[in-house]
Amino acid sequence: MEQDQLFERLWNGAASMEEWTQAVSEGAVTAISENIISVHTTYFCGGVTVIRTTAGLLLIDTAKPDTAGKTLAAVRRWDDSPIHTVIYTHGHIDHTSGIKVIDEEADARGIPRPRIIAHRNVARRLSRYQASHGFNSIVQGQQFNYSDYVYPVGQRRPDEIYDDTLSLTMGGERFELFHGRGETDDATFVWLPEHRILASGDFVIWVFPNAGNPRKVQRYAPDWAAALRQMQALRPEVLIPGHGPVIFGGERAAQVLDDGAAILESLTRQTLELMNRGRSLDEILHSVRAPAELLAKPYLLAKYDDPEFVVRGIWHLYAGWFDGNPAHLKPAPSAELAGEIAALAGGAATLAGRAKALAEAGKTRLAAHLIELASSASPTSAEIQTVRAKVYAQCTEAEPSLIGKAIYRVYQRDAEARSSA
Ligand SMILES: [Zn+2]
């Protein structure tokens, strides 16, 4: 199968994923073989892969409520057979919550709903989403800047679960499911040995691995690397990523898997080396660096998550929450500390003035510390909030990752609202 021109431009770094999202927005079908397609609607929703068997269709993932309709319509233009089985590659909502649309179609046709297969931890994740529903709605709404966002819960749970590996034959097709931990603790990658096709789930996402999201539960950078090595050893000829276009050709697939593993292995090795020498989190965060040549690959750009956030995640995988700064063991309330420092500095306005100067000089990290102290010491000052809004606008601009930008913007908006209150 020939790669199209847009793919070549993505591969060479000449096109952006935004351009690809635009190109697939109506529901684009990639033909992988006579009986296998992938359907995409946007970068921001997991793709759906469909395998035609004599027993019916098998789907890998389901998209989400706002993309599942388009996805299913694209599938139906290709094949109208019943959907027999759905595999969730993990429990994230952009891979599972489209099941509702699939079930509704089955109900309308008066045929059985598909059986769902997933790793054991998917059900536990879905339960957690219900327990922390308010928090998840806030975090997800802030990350993608949706107001009044309600996190979708209530996805249908797996009918069949497995722990490490699962082999299954359906309608004459063989599927091998492997569990690994990476972005989540419930992940599956799917191997079709007769076709040498690998559906990686979110172990491959066409950006730097999302292994350190500041507001999500623990992620697993070293295990992620190990899973990519396991996939590389399978020597796939086609690599179907969780997000972004399908990668054809054994050499390219191996390169993507190898580079993704190498960048996570490097961050893990560097972080552990320093931890094992007793260094503090502060020292580690400011000295560990992702290898620049890997970070420059078009499929590893840190546009979504940030290597620094991943270092924190690795720390957290091997250590507790204490960061090695004794003042952080039992900290004073931040408003009390801010009051003391503001008094020493000659007032909160002095701190804010210095924050403004630092931000303008590009020292946005330091500026954020000082403006938070000023804001805590004098929370009702509209002038200080005006400066705070500017500081976070500069932090947002300086930040490469979507997640980092989104978090700064939350506080920029807060400051804007308080500056005019
Ligand atoms: Zn995803």
Side-chain angles (χ1 to χ4, degrees):
M1 159 69 51
E2 292 281 306
Q3 295 281 13
D4 63 18
Q5 275 185 0
L6 177 55
F7 181 93
E8 293 303 329
R9 290 172 54 240
L10 287 165
W11 182 256
N12 296 326
S16 68
M17 215 31 96
E18 287 79 1
E19 197 178 324
W20 183 79
T21 280
Q22 202 65 39
V24 301
S25 62
E26 290 311 310
V29 171
T30 302
I32 295 170
S33 72
E34 196 197 334
N35 291 320
I36 304 175
I37 59 167
S38 274
V39 184
H40 299 100
T41 50
T42 162
Y43 175 76
F44 288 100
C45 176
V48 173
T49 294
V50 189
I51 297 102
R52 177 162 46 207
T53 79
T54 54
L57 303 182
L58 178 143
L59 264 59
I60 302 173
D61 287 335
T62 68
K64 58 192 173 104
D66 59 324
T67 52
K70 258 187 227 173
T71 302
L72 190 57
V75 173
R76 288 315 183 201
R77 286 192 291 274
W78 178 69
D79 193 298
D80 201 38
S81 316
I83 298 170
H84 180 281
T85 295
V86 168
I87 296 170
Y88 292 159
T89 59
H90 59 297
H92 276 166
I93 52 173
D94 58 314
H95 299 260
T96 57
S97 60
I99 189 66
K100 192 161 176 281
V101 172
I102 293 167
D103 283 348
E104 282 166 2
E105 190 213 41
D107 295 350
R109 291 170 72 165
I111 57 173
R113 294 176 170 194
R115 70 166 167 168
I116 302 171
I117 303 177
H119 182 261
R120 178 183 296 280
N121 287 346
V122 165
R124 207 164 66 181
R125 167 177 303 274
L126 297 177
S127 299
R128 176 164 60 75
Y129 287 164
Q130 296 201 300
S132 57
H133 187 231
F135 176 75
N136 288 358
S137 298
I138 292 167
V139 164
Q140 197 76 355
Q142 289 180 342
Q143 184 164 307
F144 295 106
N145 196 14
Y146 304 139
S147 49
D148 304 319
Y149 180 74
V150 179
Y151 200 82
V153 286
Q155 287 91 308
R156 188 152 66 85
R157 286 161 185 258
D159 302 299
E160 211 174 306
I161 57 169
Y162 79 100
D163 286 305
D164 298 319
T165 57
L166 177 73
S167 290
L168 97 126
T169 302
M170 186 189 131
E173 280 291 340
R174 263 174 63 211
F175 301 87
E176 286 174 15
L177 280 61
F178 296 88
H179 166 57
R181 297 195 306 179
E183 190 183 27
T184 64
D185 65 357
D186 61 353
T188 292
F189 53 93
V190 183
W191 173 235
L192 280 71
E194 281 138 31
H195 305 273
R196 310 203 70 79
I197 292 171
L198 175 73
S200 68
D202 281 3
F203 287 103
V204 178
I205 50 175
W206 273 93
V207 284
F208 174 76
N210 184 13
N213 191 320
R215 304 195 71 189
K216 303 286 177 77
V217 293
Q218 180 69 54
R219 286 157 180 210
Y220 305 91
D223 308 54
W224 190 324
L228 291 170
R229 291 289 178 215
Q230 209 181 339
M231 291 181 220
Q232 202 184 344
L234 295 170
R235 293 188 294 111
E237 282 298 322
V238 180
L239 170 58
I240 306 170
H243 293 250
V246 178
I247 297 158
F248 291 92
E251 209 170 303
R252 284 180 168 182
Q255 183 184 325
V256 167
L257 296 169
D258 184 41
D259 287 345
I263 203 164
L264 291 169
E265 285 162 354
S266 170
L267 290 172
T268 304
R269 188 171 53 243
Q270 293 178 62
T271 303
L272 271 174
E273 251 169 44
L274 294 170
M275 287 179 82
N276 286 330
R277 280 160 40 203
R279 296 299 161 85
S280 69
L281 179 58
D282 173 63
E283 290 172 291
I284 293 172
L285 287 176
H286 294 290
S287 55
V288 172
R289 291 287 174 271
E293 72 282 6
L294 291 174
L295 211 47
K297 303 269 180 169
Y299 45 83
L300 285 179
L301 300 175
K303 287 175 69 176
Y304 191 57
D305 205 337
D306 185 305
E308 185 175 325
F309 300 158
V310 174
V311 172
R312 283 185 183 271
I314 296 167
W315 167 282
H316 226 271
L317 198 53
Y318 294 100
W321 57 263
F322 180 58
D323 61 5
N325 179 338
H328 293 165
L329 185 64
K330 290 226 152 171
S334 45
E336 269 182 44
L337 174 65
E340 286 290 329
I341 291 173
L344 288 168
T350 311
L351 288 171
R354 182 64 184 148
K356 184 167 182 280
L358 286 166
E360 281 164 2
K363 297 199 160 186
T364 48
R365 290 176 184 245
L366 266 179
H369 284 286
L370 295 196
I371 198 60
E372 280 312 292
L373 288 168
S375 172
S376 288
S378 186
T380 56
S381 162
E383 290 79 16
I384 286 176
Q385 292 306 322
T386 303
V387 178
R388 187 166 170 254
K390 281 196 189 126
V391 167
Y392 288 126
Q394 274 155 316
C395 287
T396 304
E397 201 171 320
E399 179 59 39
S401 72
L402 176 145
I403 294 168
K405 278 184 193 292
I407 292 176
Y408 284 130
R409 273 205 200 99
V410 169
Y411 298 93
Q412 183 188 335
R413 288 195 296 272
D414 170 72
E416 281 162 359
R418 288 161 67 184
S419 68
S420 58

